[in-house]
Amino acid sequence: MSDKKTVKVTLVKSPIGRIPAHKACVSGLGLRKMHQTVTVIDTPENRGMINKVSYLLKVEEA
């Protein structure tokens, strides 16, 4: 996995009360709890989910 680019994603706002598609994107990224950080591979699919719910996340290049 060292040769693939990764992105660190942190959930900073709650998905409670958001539309179901946005909740699905958050869970699809592997985020369950507030302030949880996950490292995901930088693919177009993951970038699309990150862009859709960017108002809930903090993103760092890893």
Side-chain angles (χ1 to χ4, degrees), residues 2-47:
S2 62
D3 60 339
K4 298 188 181 193
K5 289 190 162 193
T6 58
V7 179
K8 285 174 66 175
V9 182
T10 305
L11 186 63
V12 294
K13 281 185 153 183
S14 175
I16 295 173
R18 310 296 177 187
I19 62 175
H22 290 196
K23 288 183 182 183
C25 286
V26 170
S27 64
L29 289 168
L31 295 165
R32 296 188 184 121
K33 297 181 177 184
M34 289 288 299
H35 306 291
Q36 179 186 5
T37 301
V38 295
T39 304
V40 295
I41 299 172
D42 193 7
T43 62
E45 294 83 6
N46 287 338
R47 276 290 175 180

Side-chain angles (χ1 to χ4, degrees), residues 12-13 22 48-59:
V12 294
K13 281 185 153 183
H22 290 196
M49 288 192 284
I50 290 169
N51 289 338
K52 192 170 209 176
V53 293
S54 62
Y55 65 98
L56 300 174
L57 306 174
K58 181 176 99 176
V59 182

